[in-house]
Amino acid sequence: MSQLRKLIFSHGRVPGLLMLYLLLQPVVDILTSVAAQSGSSLTAGTVIRAVYVVVVALWLLFSRPYAGKRWVFLGTCLATGYLALYCLHSLLTGGFSLCLTNAAESLKVFYFLYTALLLYALYRQRRFVMPLWAIAASGAGYCLVIVIAFITGSSFISYNAGYGYCGWFYSANDVSNIILLSAPIIICLCLERLEKAKKWYSFLALSVVLFSVVFSACFIGTKLVYLGVLGYLVCALVWYLVRATCFRERCLRRGLVAILCLCALLLAIYPISPLNAYINDVYVPMSGEDQAAMEASQAIPGIVEVDRAKKHAEMEAAAEGTWLGEQIKTQPLVKKLDWILSRRLLSIAPILQEYLDGNTLTKLIGLGYGQAPHHQREIVHLVEMEPLALLLRHGIVGFALYYLPCLAIALWCIVCFFRRLKSRLADFTYCTNLFSALTALAASVIVGHILQTPCVSLFVAMVYGQLIARTTKPN
């Protein structure tokens, strides 16, 4: 225990506390889930993460001088000033209740930006980068909890009608995205240790962790995490085969065997997984190509009682007369895209129309998150695809301040990768880090729950911090 404490705080108090905060994320989310399941509106996650943002902002503003602090100070002032003006606008147009709603939701979104500024400050001040083992350890905690909860029969259900198991966590989407981002790093570090392991208990511990990742990918019930883990294993298999074949590296044999076993296990579990049942019973019929199958799907009674047919009818009624709703009706390709995205386009049609019909100020600042008196349509439905969500909720100003820098950094990492292609491809850890970072970007665009969700965006910031540090070091 003393060695772990020494390892965590070896970089100093602030980096050590940040590392400890990351490692305790599974515990925070379990406490949050318990409170949410009991019907409490105030959860541990809400309080802890709100305090975290305030403390980080104060530290960024008032920490001792270091090289690059003026840029951190400027970024913090811009983010904080924007949020203050955003809340003031909400107060003037919709009253205190709307202001409180928009402030709470905006803090969740800007949680990522404050974390990114903190990581940059710590790197410039102390050359601190969150170690990959800490990201992997926290992600493995989520996977192990899902396995333990399933074995003990105490797991919560991920989705309606009992499809999927999310352990003792409240949101299956959030947990699946955490696993999606951390699984490649977990697998990579476990493979590295497998090559060096000599004791039987080391093999056992690594095998349990790897099994928990594969089990979670199949049994949590989301398509993206399964495809993400499978995609990474295929990429890792190709990398190992090339290294073993072209460079005759015998030390890679254990890792190659482990990857083949994980691929076989992932494919073998799938037919009996809740994900397979969900795709056959709900997702495929949702396309509407078989009317009888779609009606049967909507009639499935859920463990969480929701009238799915009624919900879909309400979404279609809300989209009536909107530009995007008409596109879904009349354009087969748009309709197919809506199905692929699990009706996400249909659900945002009224919100998009409200934004398009709004005045110049609305387009600049956004609609916000709460229902204001001047809104003609209901806008409180969750917008999951994050570039669009940031544009609609925070307008052109918020989108430019928040998302464009994120996109620019991701593109910069890709360009740097191809500039040193040979040396980058030779580094399996670097390739893994890049895979996780680009997966975060793709998931943010397609399904969301990445940058808008604090527990997930924390991992995104850590992954990109590692990637940027590894990219700039040789340059």
Side-chain angles (χ1 to χ4, degrees), residues 4 71 119 264 284 378 434:
L4 179 61
W71 296 111
L119 288 174
V284 173
E378 187 175 330
L434 181 65

Side-chain angles (χ1 to χ4, degrees), residues 3-13 15-17 19-20 23 128 133:
Q3 291 181 344
L4 179 61
R5 185 167 61 250
K6 185 178 179 181
L7 179 63
I8 291 174
F9 289 97
S10 60
H11 296 278
R13 184 181 300 172
L17 289 173
M19 195 184 303
L20 186 62
L23 292 171
F128 170 78
W133 71 261

Side-chain angles (χ1 to χ4, degrees), residues 156-176:
F156 299 134
I157 301 302
S158 296
Y159 301 109
N160 296 340
Y163 294 103
Y165 301 89
C166 58
W168 298 322
F169 305 108
Y170 184 70
S171 173
N173 284 326
D174 297 350
V175 175
S176 66

Side-chain angles (χ1 to χ4, degrees), residues 180 217-218 222-231 266-267 270 275:
L180 173 70
C218 290
T222 60
K223 303 181 292 296
L224 191 63
V225 68
Y226 181 86
L227 293 174
V229 172
L230 181 61
L266 195 66
L267 296 173
Y270 176 75
L275 177 59

Side-chain angles (χ1 to χ4, degrees), residues 55 65 74 127 153 160 180 192 220 229 231-232 240 333 358 373 445 467:
V55 171
L74 178 62
R127 288 295 183 266
N160 296 340
L180 173 70
E192 289 180 355
I220 201 170
V229 172
Y232 173 74
Y240 267 74
L333 286 177
V445 173
L467 181 62

